[in-house]
Amino acid sequence: MKKQFAVIGLGRFGGSICKALSAEGMDVLAIDMDEHKVNELAPIVTQAVIADGTDEKALKSLGIRNFDQVVVAIGDDIQASILTTLILDDMGVKNIIAKAQNDYHAKVLAKIGADEIVHPERDIGVRIAHNVVSENVLDYLELSDEYSIVELVAGPTINNKSIVDLDLRTRYGCNILAIKRGEEIKVSPYPEEKILTQDVLIVIGADKDINRLENRWIDEEGNA
Ligand code: ATP
């Protein structure tokens, strides 16, 4: 059976989640207090309803308990976001994903029953900062406080070196998950695989090791 999602709060974040899920062919119930926001999304989602997330009765009548995942994407009104999450947890919603405005908000959401907390503004900030600071880094995904996955562009001096030659695992504690070469992507590349200039390497590791790697990516002798 198709998974059923509900999204409460249709700002930029909630709205894009609705669009992305609908594009994947999922069933989406979109909820907002603001009629304009609801009307905007109505043509895209399965059902769009004007309702207040803090109104327990309204949520009950929508059968919110039966949804596989409910996303609380209320932003500025932290009180409404907390109250909505609390009500959903109380009603027995299986999986609640809540958007946090800051770390305190996140802590409260975790305590009152959010199963997953997202910090879109903070995450995008970290991502942009990382991309701006390091010219080799194309993209960046934080897995936890300590670990990340990054996309690094291979410079000319490591051209034609194999993964064994580079020995990133021993020297930097990092692993190459995949190599992107134009349209082609080699997942779990063999140790003998040669890296070419302009290849994009998808590397996983501890942040401190990735930072070392980025800083020494290409030294004067051309050693990675
Ligand atoms: P974004 O960055 O995603 O645009 P934001 O941080 O600016 O969001 P808001 O615009 O404050 O967040 O809230 C997102 C949406 O949540 C708005 O469309 C707002 O109408 C809706 N919203 C706020 N409170 C409630 C509530 N109690 N019930 C339902 N929707 C709500």
Side-chain angles (χ1 to χ4, degrees), residues 16 19 21 32 39 45 54 56 78 82 102 108 131 136-137 145-146 161 167 176 179 181 189 224:
S16 356
K19 286 176 195 156
L21 289 171
D32 202 294
N39 289 341
V45 295
T54 64
E56 193 173 345
I78 291 183
I82 291 171
N102 56 51
V108 177
N131 292 2
N136 290 317
V137 175
D145 285 349
E146 281 176 67
K161 291 199 170 173
D167 201 14
I176 298 182
I179 301 173
R181 184 170 298 152

Side-chain angles (χ1 to χ4, degrees), residues 30-169:
I31 303 169
D32 202 294
M33 291 196 303
D34 181 342
E35 187 185 344
H36 298 290
K37 297 279 173 66
V38 174
N39 289 341
E40 231 174 82
L41 279 153
I44 300 162
V45 295
T46 320
Q47 196 188 354
V49 175
I50 305 167
D52 183 339
T54 64
D55 179 349
E56 193 173 345
K57 267 199 196 138
L59 295 182
K60 263 203 181 118
S61 69
L62 289 167
I64 206 95
R65 217 170 74 82
N66 305 320
F67 282 76
D68 296 299
Q69 273 187 328
V70 181
V71 181
V72 181
I74 298 172
D76 296 341
D77 191 346
I78 291 183
Q79 200 174 321
S81 144
I82 291 171
L83 199 50
T84 303
T85 307
L86 188 64
I87 291 171
L88 293 171
D89 186 56
D90 231 31
M91 288 169 77
V93 171
K94 286 179 282 258
N95 195 285
I96 307 169
I97 302 175
K99 168 182 151 163
Q101 291 293 83
N102 56 51
D103 290 343
Y104 294 112
H105 186 192
K107 274 191 187 147
V108 177
L109 291 170
K111 281 226 160 75
I112 59 169
D115 300 286
E116 200 179 318
I117 291 153
V118 288
H119 294 80
E121 279 91 5
R122 188 197 65 184
D123 293 350
I124 199 83
V126 171
R127 231 174 159 125
I128 290 171
H130 216 88
N131 292 2
V132 168
V133 170
S134 172
E135 52 185 46
N136 290 317
V137 175
L138 293 185
D139 207 352
Y140 173 88
L141 174 71
E142 196 179 58
L143 296 175
S144 71
D145 285 349
E146 281 176 67
Y147 292 91
S148 302
I149 296 177
V150 295
E151 285 190 345
L152 296 170
V153 187
T157 47
I158 59 168
N159 188 30
N160 244 343
K161 291 199 170 173
S162 70
I163 294 179
V164 178
D165 295 337
L166 295 173
D167 201 14
L168 297 188
R169 190 188 300 207

Side-chain angles (χ1 to χ4, degrees), residues 171-212:
R171 295 174 63 199
Y172 293 95
C174 295
N175 281 294
I176 298 182
L177 294 177
I179 301 173
K180 282 205 260 181
R181 184 170 298 152
E183 294 291 296
E184 191 190 4
I185 176 151
K186 291 174 194 279
V187 178
S188 294
Y190 292 111
E192 311 76 50
E193 185 74 43
K194 299 252 191 221
I195 290 165
L196 306 177
T197 309
Q198 291 308 315
D199 278 355
V200 174
L201 310 181
I202 301 170
V203 177
I204 186 167
D207 292 340
K208 61 175 174 39
D209 295 327
I210 291 177
N211 281 340
R212 263 188 328 127

